[in-house]
Amino acid sequence: MEEIVNKVANSALQVFDLEDYYPKGERVELDISQWLLEGFLLREKDFREHLKQYDWSQYADKYVAVFCSTDAIIPGWAFILVTTYLTPFAKKIAHGRLEDLENSLYEEILPTLDYTQYEGKPVIIKGCSRKPVPTGAYLLAAQKLYPFARSIMYGEACSAVPLYKKK
């Protein structure tokens, strides 16, 4: 009987798994429409009073995405004001939904990595993940790997989609 050889493990192929850089911590969304009159009208005095009365401690050590779920026209200062209340508690605050928050986290992390280890090597950006890795993180990873990798693929070693190959 012939020995089974793992050709992927013995190849020069490098796997870049974005899950390895996924920050631990709870993610939550904060919808500011709850503090608008009928969900649409921002009355400054009432808005400020709602923020003063709100229990911000529930966001301690959490990643928070701040958004408005209605089509209300919100002045820019309103989101900034909410941020001033969240800042003493939250790990990170981003404007938008959870995917925007996740993109923001990866935009902080990926530029700090050392990509020289991928110099001249074929790289596969791992595609299947158990964590909510946003599309934007894959785009940024490809940009960061591009100057170093000999080739870039996406997916799994058994079914990778070729994306780029140095000429």
Side-chain angles (χ1 to χ4, degrees):
M1 190 169 199
E2 225 177 289
E3 181 182 345
I4 298 173
V5 178
N6 184 341
K7 291 179 183 178
V8 173
N10 294 333
S11 75
L13 184 64
Q14 300 289 304
V15 177
F16 188 83
D17 188 350
L18 285 160
E19 279 190 339
D20 292 344
Y21 308 104
Y22 188 83
K24 291 183 174 121
E26 186 178 349
R27 280 97 163 122
V28 294
E29 291 181 320
L30 175 58
D31 183 0
I32 70 165
S33 71
Q34 64 184 307
W35 301 310
L36 306 178
L37 181 63
E38 296 181 11
F40 287 96
L41 181 64
L42 188 147
R43 294 173 78 181
E44 184 177 349
K45 184 178 178 184
D46 295 341
F47 186 75
R48 287 180 179 274
E49 190 57 37
H50 286 299
L51 297 182
K52 284 180 188 171
Q53 302 302 320
Y54 194 70
D55 177 17
W56 297 98
S57 66
Q58 64 185 302
Y59 297 101
D61 296 322
K62 294 181 183 174
Y63 297 99
V64 184
V66 181
F67 74 104
C68 182
S69 63
T70 66
D71 290 330
I73 297 171
I74 307 293
W77 62 261
F79 289 104
I80 299 166
L81 183 61
V82 169
T83 298
T84 65
Y85 283 91
L86 278 169
T87 297
F89 301 99
K91 279 186 180 179
K92 177 164 181 68
I93 306 156
H95 178 255
R97 302 302 297 254
L98 287 178
E99 184 172 356
D100 301 305
L101 173 63
E102 297 295 353
N103 275 319
S104 176
L105 291 168
Y106 277 104
E107 286 169 0
E108 283 182 358
I109 295 165
L110 292 181
T112 67
L113 302 179
D114 177 15
Y115 295 91
T116 58
Q117 64 182 314
Y118 302 105
E119 186 74 51
K121 296 179 182 171
V123 178
I124 184 163
I125 300 173
K126 188 170 183 252
C128 295
S129 60
R130 294 174 301 282
K131 296 175 181 151
V133 177
T135 302
Y138 290 98
L139 301 179
L140 186 55
Q143 291 174 64
K144 296 297 181 185
L145 289 164
Y146 184 90
F148 300 97
R150 182 177 76 214
S151 63
I152 301 173
M153 295 166 275
Y154 170 81
E156 301 296 325
C158 62
S159 61
V161 176
L163 302 172
Y164 162 74
K165 190 167 191 166
K166 261 189 186 156
K167 300 211 185 304

